[in-house]
Amino acid sequence: LGTGDGYFAGKAYRRMQEIMAGLQDPVRLGDFLANVVRIPEEALLHEFAFVSSIDGRVRSKGEQDSKYADKDLRVLETGDILLSGIDVVKGSVGVVDEKCAGLVVSKEFFTLVLKDSPPVPVLPEYLARVLRTPLVRDIIEGTVTGVSARTRIDDIDTFLDLRIPRPAATKQQKFVAAQLKAAYRAQDEATESMQQLDDAISKTLR
């Protein structure tokens, strides 16, 4: 058997087909989400954001002199689902919180918002985590790559045409959102504790 890019792309496509064949009552992602484009005002510097593939958190990268024209930047708002067109197959998707509202991303990112009347109620925090699950990432990879070796999203409409498992009941979604918030809070506390530990050690070295 071959082991080139085409072989692995075809394997991802076949895996996606197997998953889809086993899904009960899948739903179309675009029935829940819409792509929005907000162009920032002209400025010499912008504060940029990114979404981590490790934990799905949206964070600031700090103020930068952009290599992009303002028309190629996107402004974030609280509650957006931010998706990296380059790394979505690695899990780079998350929800924008109030700390990152007003920040910008490059055109390689997509900002998605919940539609007013989805087929069933859904929370953005829950939906973003669904898109990060191994099962749905396999669906994304198989759809994006097809039979080629492409792993990035260039056409957001094709992405929104994805079929995914039907969202869980609202009670379960709220539980996921609460657990996620608690996990992020614990993560922040751990980061602060480690920084304090490093600072304390530094003082002993002087």
Side-chain angles (χ1 to χ4, degrees), residues 198-206:
D198 290 344
D199 292 342
I201 294 173
S202 294
K203 291 179 181 178
T204 68
L205 302 176
R206 296 173 184 172

Side-chain angles (χ1 to χ4, degrees), residues 21-173:
L23 285 185
Q24 298 293 324
D25 196 21
V27 293
R28 179 178 173 271
L29 186 59
D31 290 340
F32 296 85
L33 296 174
N35 182 51
V36 296
V37 176
R38 310 183 193 96
I39 307 298
E41 296 181 2
E42 291 186 14
L44 294 176
L45 296 173
H46 290 286
E47 185 173 354
F48 280 75
F50 75 103
V51 57
S52 170
S53 62
I54 297 173
D55 57 15
R57 292 191 77 170
V58 179
R59 296 180 175 89
S60 171
K61 290 202 299 185
E63 202 168 51
Q64 300 179 12
D65 183 3
S66 175
K67 64 180 180 180
Y68 297 92
D70 290 318
K71 66 180 179 62
D72 292 328
L73 299 177
R74 309 290 181 255
V75 179
L76 305 181
E77 289 187 1
T78 303
D80 287 350
I81 292 180
L82 180 63
L83 179 150
S84 168
I86 296 174
D87 288 328
V88 65
V89 296
K90 299 178 181 177
S92 291
V93 54
V95 178
V96 177
D97 64 16
E98 61 277 0
K99 293 180 182 178
C100 291
L103 274 55
V104 303
V105 292
S106 67
K107 63 181 180 180
E108 280 79 18
F109 289 86
F110 297 97
T111 46
L112 307 175
V113 297
L114 292 179
K115 289 188 171 181
D116 291 333
S117 301
V120 295
V122 68
L123 297 175
E125 295 84 0
Y126 173 83
L127 194 52
R129 298 312 290 190
V130 166
L131 293 175
R132 281 178 48 83
T133 61
L135 181 80
V136 176
R137 282 163 62 179
D138 280 348
I139 294 174
I140 294 171
E141 183 178 9
T143 302
V144 171
T145 60
V147 293
S148 72
R150 242 175 352 105
T151 58
R152 64 180 291 162
I153 297 171
D154 295 311
D155 180 8
I156 191 61
D157 291 331
T158 299
F159 179 79
L160 290 174
D161 204 37
L162 285 175
R163 266 57 179 179
I164 63 171
R166 179 171 288 273
T170 301
K171 183 178 180 180
Q172 292 173 288
Q173 292 187 39

